[in-house]
């Protein structure tokens, strides 16, 4: 499909934000430190592919489990560099699972979604023996990881078992990506966008927190705004979904929101999970 230059500029911007290099260096260093800090169960396989592995970080009994999915436009990044989320979450008692998955274009995107479903099955089966008993499962992710988290939260087999979804700079309508070089690389066309867009599926049964940086492109604000409206029209009503615009943050620096124990995203997450635990 022909690339649309205006749409391309909204989604392809690795050189647009100077923060990118520094943020990636920060989170890689923090992740290495988190992975070296026990207790941790690293590289637990949930499927046959070498990238189908999970890192588990036990928290406190009776607290939520947060399942984090990295971004990289489905074609790059690795789970090892996203354990940085563990430090702040553990301070609040969370257990954390950081999921690895096969990458496009070698792995078709529908198969990536199936890998995430298999990871959830393993977590709630054999993997549960490696963690304390938790109350409430939250799926979270950044960028393409936000898309995959939303796919899990709206999955017919999992939606009733997922308390909430936290998407940082998430992608919920893949149709515009079909007109970008990213879509050409990972195999997104109009048909696939219709199948794999969370906006084309019923909303999840729990809550949604869609965070976006104030300095992000209008397309990412539009993605979050439309998905919050979609989720609010579902069974949970308007109170079930929230859009949070993070002042001063861009597509990369928004990740720092998961590194500190008291930023606006963390405060919103804690408010949502506290209500979940109290209601369970």
């Amino acid at each position: 499909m022909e690339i649309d230059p205006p749409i391309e500029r909204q989604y392809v911007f690795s050189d647009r934000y100077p923060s990118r290099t520094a943020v990636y260096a920060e989170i890689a260093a923090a992740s290495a430190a988190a992975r070296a800090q026990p207790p941790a169960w690293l590289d637990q396989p949930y499927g046959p592919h070498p990238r189908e592995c999970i890192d588990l970080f036990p928290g406190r009994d009776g607290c939520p489990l947060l399942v984090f999915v990295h971004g990289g436009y489905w074609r790059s990044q690795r789970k090892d560099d996203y354990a940085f989320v563990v430090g702040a979450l553990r301070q609040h008692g969370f257990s954390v699972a950081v999921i690895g998955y096969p990458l496009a274009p070698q792995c078709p995107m529908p198969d990536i979604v199936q890998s995430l479903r298999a990871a959830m099955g393993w977590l709630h089966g054999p993997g549960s023996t490696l963690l304390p008993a938790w109350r409430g499962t939250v799926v979270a992710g950044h960028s393409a990881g936000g898309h995959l988290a939303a796919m899990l939260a709206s999955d017919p087999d999992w939606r009733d078992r997922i308390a909430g979804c936290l998407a940082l700079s998430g992608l919920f309508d893949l149709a515009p990506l079909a007109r970008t070089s990213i879509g050409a690389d990972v195999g997104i066309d109009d048909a696939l966008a219709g199948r794999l867009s969370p906006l084309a599926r019923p909303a999840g049964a729990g809550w949604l927190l869609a965070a976006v940086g104030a300095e992000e492109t209008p397309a990412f604000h539009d993605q979050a705004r439309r998905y919050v409206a979609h989720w609010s029209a579902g069974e949970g009503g308007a109170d079930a979904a929230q859009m949070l615009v993070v002042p001063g943050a861009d597509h990369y620096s928004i990740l720092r929101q998961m590194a500190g124990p008291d930023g606006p995203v963390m405060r919103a997450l804690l408010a949502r999970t506290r209500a979940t635990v109290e209601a369970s």
Side-chain angles (χ1 to χ4, degrees), residues 105-130:
Q106 292 80 12
C107 181
M109 284 186 57
D111 292 352
I112 294 175
V113 174
Q114 289 303 314
S115 284
L116 270 292
R117 297 180 76 250
M120 291 295 287
W122 183 87
L123 274 172
H124 287 76
S128 64
T129 64
L130 302 176

Side-chain angles (χ1 to χ4, degrees), residues 28-41:
S31 295
R35 285 168 56 85
Q37 179 67 43
W41 301 92

Side-chain angles (χ1 to χ4, degrees), residues 34-44 55-58 86 90 130:
R35 285 168 56 85
Q37 179 67 43
W41 301 92
L42 305 180
D43 300 316
Q44 300 295 305
D55 293 340
L56 299 178
F57 303 88
V86 172
R90 264 186 169 168
L130 302 176

